[in-house]
Amino acid sequence: MIRTLIWLMAGAVLGGIIHILVILTLPMLAKETVWTRIEALEADNRMVVLPRIEPGQPNPLRLDPDLAYAVCQVDLSQGPAYMSGIMPDAFWSVAIFNQAGIVTYSTTNRDGIGQTLELGIFNAAQTRLLAQQQLDIAEGLLVVEAASDKLFVLVRLAPPHQAMRARFEEALANVDCGTRGEPITP
């Protein structure tokens, strides 16, 4: 009887370990990720306004159909990335994601930024140069240090009425986004 209980316990523990390993490794085996979907949009160093999600249609990025979205992909190994634009007088937010699709930084216009979006994204080496005042940046630039070089930035706008959506999407398209300057390596 005790021998049977030991075998059952060992089987349950081994089954649990295998189950956990499978659950943790499956996402790494996926061929289609958030990063590959963003790459397919060809948003490298430019803002791309995402098409409106129609109710009942496929929504692979799981976006809210009431918001207007734009995405920009940057590689900090090519130099610091900058975003600049004037946003409409409504709620908006900016989120920076790494390649795994994890938010590394986020802010909204309710953080005291107002309508002006002036954001600089730097890696650790570029941030050191900023601290040593070897890089010139504009006054009032919001500086964000990123842990990785390959990132994408998602900007969300909430139009108060759907009649204003086209104007909001135009404002998103006019946001300047991309890397500038010489590559800075550690």
Side-chain angles (χ1 to χ4, degrees):
M1 179 73 174
I2 292 178
R3 182 178 276 175
T4 305
L5 259 169
I6 291 174
W7 279 105
L8 286 174
M9 290 298 291
V13 168
L14 183 61
I17 291 170
I18 291 171
H19 179 76
I20 290 171
L21 286 174
V22 168
I23 296 296
L24 292 176
T25 58
L26 275 178
M28 291 184 280
L29 299 174
K31 291 185 182 188
E32 187 171 302
T33 63
V34 172
W35 186 259
T36 59
R37 289 177 180 172
I38 298 298
E39 276 184 329
L41 297 172
E42 298 177 358
D44 192 30
N45 288 322
R46 67 184 186 100
M47 288 301 275
V48 173
V49 177
L50 301 180
R52 181 177 182 187
I53 304 299
E54 297 297 331
Q57 296 300 315
N59 188 358
L61 295 176
R62 298 186 180 129
L63 303 176
D64 184 343
D66 292 334
L67 300 179
Y69 295 90
V71 68
C72 174
Q73 200 172 21
V74 294
D75 184 357
L76 299 181
S77 66
Q78 304 301 314
Y82 297 94
M83 290 187 67
S84 177
I86 303 295
M87 306 304 276
D89 191 19
F91 175 78
W92 57 267
S93 70
V94 176
I96 301 172
F97 294 81
N98 64 14
Q99 271 187 299
I102 298 171
V103 176
T104 59
Y105 178 81
S106 180
T107 189
T108 70
N109 64 328
R110 301 212 173 123
D111 286 339
I113 297 172
Q115 289 180 264
T116 305
L117 173 61
E118 295 291 335
L119 180 73
I121 309 167
F122 303 86
N123 62 20
Q126 296 159 351
T127 305
R128 273 193 304 282
L129 291 175
L130 276 177
Q132 297 167 357
Q133 297 181 348
Q134 294 181 11
L135 281 179
D136 293 327
I137 60 170
E139 183 82 21
L141 182 74
L142 179 61
V143 175
V144 176
E145 182 177 336
S148 59
D149 284 343
K150 293 185 182 278
L151 306 164
F152 69 90
V153 182
L154 180 71
V155 181
R156 296 170 269 242
L157 278 173
H161 304 286
Q162 287 303 314
M164 303 170 85
R165 187 179 185 93
R167 187 174 53 132
F168 277 46
E169 288 176 347
E170 184 180 327
L172 282 173
N174 290 330
V175 172
D176 183 34
C177 177
T179 55
R180 297 186 201 117
E182 294 298 314
I184 299 170
T185 56

